[in-house]
Amino acid sequence: MALEQLLNGLMYFERLHIIELQRPAANPAQAPAPEALPSCGARGSGLDTLVADEPTLRRLQREGGWGIDDTKLALLHAGDTCLLSLVDGCIAGYTWVHTGGRPEIMPGLRLQLPAGALYNFAGFTHPDFRGAGLQSYRHQAVWAQLEWAHMGRMLGYVKATNFASRQGQGRSGYRRIGSVALLGSRKRFVAWLSPALRHSGVRRLEGPSGVVDRAWALLQRQAQGAWVGLVSHTLGPWLHSRLRRRSQRSDTHSYTCFHRAPTQLAALTGPVLAHLGLDRVPGGAQGQPLRVLLYACSNGAEAYTWSAWLALQRPDLEVVIEASDLSPELVSQARQGRYTWSELTQGREVPAWLVAQTFDRDGDAYVVNERTRRRVNFSCADIVRDDLRGRYGEADVVVAQNVLFHLPPPLARRAFDNVVRTLAPTAALFIEGMDQDLRVSLTRAQELQPLAWRSREIYDESRRHIPARWWQFHYGAEPWLPFRLAPLRRYGTIFLKGPTSVSLRSQALAT
Ligand SMILES: C[S@@+](CC[C@H](N)C(=O)[O-])C[C@H]1O[C@@H](n2cnc3c(N)ncnc32)[C@H](O)[C@@H]1O
């Protein structure tokens, strides 16, 4: 230590311990949850991990305080992965993982790792969640990622002089496999790898020029993009059904956002109202109210979006939206109708019309205005167990989106039938976010007709928030695969009940 201080007075000298975590013998499908976690109290409950996408990282960068900068976004583009830990649906921290086997562990020092080794770096836990062991939870969660199932070791580094961090890593199960000594200046240094480190297969990659580096990163990026595309369209469906057979489902996923499905909204006020006889044609059933049952409404974003859109597009139409959710906390939040800017946008662009049409400002908060609120009632309902028809009767439009794929198939089937019983004889069902095989068989059994109108665009929109490697997530959804049977039924998210008009029927014939 004293020698290091003396050397550092004369020149740059640093010693890095290279540490290793071995994959546990029994690979846990789910990492054990740390105890005594604080709650963020916002949405749902529970602990989860999620691979971060670029919009989420950009949102954290805008919020500040998360240590996300342009360098990290460049690493994402270069193929590194950021694994988020969520508590009650809120981001509580992250850890980054490099899988390419050639991490630059500090500027000017790139290592070649042995085959089968991941490199873990840049861990961060939000101050509200520190002390609960989330970092170690994230490290364990890395092993549960199917994509890295063939990787057996995870390497990292810690400065030799950082005793607190060394102790923490030791408690997480890391062991030291060797060290690197750096001598020179911060920009130009000689790196000496200990024999133990060389013996374990780690090498220094001597600095190729910046141009070569960039070209290599670009090539890697292109290759990874092509690889993801190839798996997505070939093995993806098989990997996904294997994952869904094994994965645990949870009814605590509550992600939602305003204006989640804009083209669906256009379908609602276009062909769907036409199907219901509520279009503006002479003789249309003017004066008849539109009744909507909207299940699994989460914090109310979807119901308020529908209310605002209908008020804007069809001010002549009387609208009643009965919205419900399993979670009393979410229902209470929905009733309050009060959102922060980041809850409102979820890091995405929200159209100006929606903000102007829906909200009043109260300080920093966005509060749903009376015009939008008075058409929506909120209550608690369980779509699996409650008698929905006995409770809510029938409606012209029934919405149950992004909930069925969180339920095990037998419960999803039961919930689907329960929801469908609340359709009026002429009605429409909005059902984004459910297992595609189930959608084909259940909608066929119920003699519901898929709406062809802009269905591909609507389906692509419904996949916007799903990571590129969708087959690694139980809620992932395959891209529109042209060779699938009954594509409209498989990928359609809007289904019509009752006699359809000639033009709608001719669209449906394609199924
Ligand atoms: C991912 S959110 C979907 C929110 C919204 N429908 C959307 O598409 O943006 C799923 C919601 O389903 C609710 N949920 C889960 N199981 C349910 C059940 N059995 N009955 C009713 N709601 C349920 C959760 O509480 C959560 O709010």
Side-chain angles (χ1 to χ4, degrees):
M1 184 67 188
L3 180 67
E4 292 201 16
Q5 276 174 352
L6 180 69
L7 274 171
N8 259 311
L10 303 170
M11 65 180 84
Y12 171 64
F13 177 70
E14 190 84 81
R15 227 156 32 95
L16 311 176
H17 287 180
I18 304 296
I19 52 178
E20 174 194 71
L21 188 67
Q22 295 264 2
R23 175 183 285 277
N27 183 12
Q30 202 77 43
E35 286 168 13
L37 262 174
S39 160
C40 87
R43 284 168 250 131
S45 61
L47 192 63
D48 209 349
T49 50
L50 183 72
V51 173
D53 58 8
E54 187 176 343
T56 307
L57 291 176
R58 288 207 179 277
R59 171 161 67 87
L60 297 182
Q61 184 183 28
R62 276 197 301 277
E63 276 179 15
W66 288 94
I68 299 293
D69 53 16
D70 288 343
T71 311
K72 290 220 174 60
L73 288 166
L75 289 172
L76 182 80
H77 285 180
D80 290 350
T81 302
C82 174
L83 197 64
L84 300 171
S85 47
L86 309 181
V87 175
D88 297 355
C90 295
I91 298 173
Y94 58 74
T95 199
W96 284 77
V97 179
H98 170 95
T99 54
R102 299 161 53 98
E104 185 172 37
I105 71 171
M106 60 192 313
L109 180 62
R110 190 179 288 281
L111 298 181
Q112 171 79 59
L113 305 186
L118 299 162
Y119 174 70
N120 170 251
F121 63 104
F124 176 86
T125 302
H126 190 277
D128 291 352
F129 298 94
R130 286 189 187 153
L134 271 184
Q135 166 148 306
S136 157
Y137 170 77
R138 284 190 297 269
H139 290 177
Q140 295 303 323
V142 166
W143 303 125
Q145 302 289 312
L146 259 188
E147 184 198 2
W148 302 329
H150 58 293
M151 303 295 225
R153 317 157 70 183
M154 184 157 65
L155 305 192
Y157 86 84
V158 57
K159 287 186 179 174
T161 47
N162 189 344
F163 293 101
S165 183
R166 277 171 58 181
Q167 272 180 355
Q169 302 290 18
R171 277 196 300 274
S172 299
Y174 276 93
R175 69 177 186 93
R176 178 179 159 193
I177 56 167
S179 53
V180 183
L182 309 174
L183 189 67
S185 72
R186 282 188 186 275
K187 284 197 173 158
R188 286 180 166 273
F189 48 74
V190 178
W192 182 80
L193 273 61
S194 70
L197 194 58
R198 292 181 156 275
H199 188 67
S200 69
V202 178
R203 298 275 178 279
R204 181 182 184 192
L205 286 168
E206 293 298 339
S209 76
V211 175
V212 174
D213 250 356
R214 280 202 293 278
W216 173 246
L218 184 70
L219 203 68
Q220 272 188 323
R221 222 163 42 233
Q222 300 289 355
Q224 282 200 352
W227 169 246
V228 168
L230 187 72
V231 175
S232 193
H233 286 74
T234 52
L235 283 179
W238 176 76
L239 288 170
H240 191 231
S241 60
R242 204 176 67 138
L243 173 82
R244 284 177 63 82
R245 277 198 303 278
R246 295 175 182 183
S247 65
Q248 298 273 336
R249 311 296 164 81
S250 142
D251 56 16
T252 58
H253 289 270
S254 57
Y255 175 83
T256 189
C257 63
F258 285 87
H259 207 245
R260 185 173 188 164
T263 314
Q264 257 195 355
L265 291 178
L268 169 68
T269 43
V272 171
L273 287 189
H275 170 66
L276 299 174
L278 290 171
D279 47 349
R280 293 186 206 252
V281 295
Q286 309 298 328
Q288 177 191 327
L290 174 74
R291 186 153 195 270
V292 179
L293 289 176
L294 193 150
Y295 301 110
C297 68
S298 186
N299 68 6
E302 192 180 20
Y304 287 133
T305 303
W306 276 53
S307 172
W309 174 255
L310 284 163
L312 188 72
Q313 294 293 317
R314 293 295 304 269
D316 58 309
L317 205 60
E318 195 188 321
V319 174
V320 179
I321 302 177
E322 294 288 348
S324 58
D325 195 275
L326 180 67
S327 153
E329 292 81 25
L330 288 168
V331 168
S332 143
Q333 198 193 352
R335 279 196 189 117
Q336 278 177 27
R338 194 180 175 86
Y339 304 90
T340 63
W341 179 246
S342 78
E343 281 171 333
L344 199 171
T345 60
Q346 296 288 349
R348 294 180 187 274
E349 293 292 318
V350 170
W353 73 258
L354 181 93
V355 181
Q357 176 74 17
T358 318
F359 299 101
D360 292 332
R361 289 292 299 273
D362 179 12
D364 282 345
Y366 288 76
V367 183
V368 176
N369 57 32
E370 196 43 41
R371 176 179 57 201
T372 309
R373 186 188 285 269
R374 74 183 147 79
R375 307 157 133 227
V376 192
N377 302 313
F378 290 100
S379 54
C380 277
D382 180 341
I383 58 170
V384 178
R385 288 164 198 90
D386 289 350
D387 171 11
L388 299 177
R389 192 181 161 92
R391 186 148 166 208
Y392 295 111
E394 292 177 343
D396 309 298
V397 180
V398 172
V399 188
Q401 309 222 80
N402 301 302
V403 57
L404 295 188
F405 59 13
H406 291 310
L407 302 174
L411 296 190
R413 265 187 220 107
R414 197 191 311 170
F416 183 88
D417 290 344
N418 203 7
V419 162
V420 163
R421 272 199 290 277
T422 58
L423 287 168
T426 300
L429 173 69
F430 284 63
I431 195 90
E432 173 182 310
M434 77 177 283
D435 178 277
Q436 275 101 6
D437 291 331
L438 270 188
R439 182 150 50 195
V440 172
S441 62
L442 296 181
T443 58
R444 199 171 263 151
Q446 296 281 353
E447 297 182 4
L448 299 171
Q449 294 302 327
L451 178 71
W453 188 84
R454 292 173 72 180
S455 52
R456 176 142 195 186
E457 205 177 326
I458 293 174
Y459 184 70
D460 289 346
E461 227 163 62
S462 76
R463 295 186 74 249
R464 258 190 334 186
H465 54 279
I466 291 177
R469 294 162 199 248
W470 56 270
W471 60 88
Q472 293 168 359
F473 304 87
H474 75 259
Y475 55 86
E478 66 191 34
W480 185 295
L481 300 172
F483 55 82
R484 289 289 201 179
L485 292 176
L488 287 184
R489 201 172 272 293
R490 184 171 188 82
Y491 303 119
T493 65
I494 304 174
F495 288 82
L496 304 179
K497 179 180 171 190
T500 46
S501 73
V502 176
S503 62
L504 289 174
R505 213 177 298 130
S506 62
Q507 292 179 28
L509 275 180
T511 63

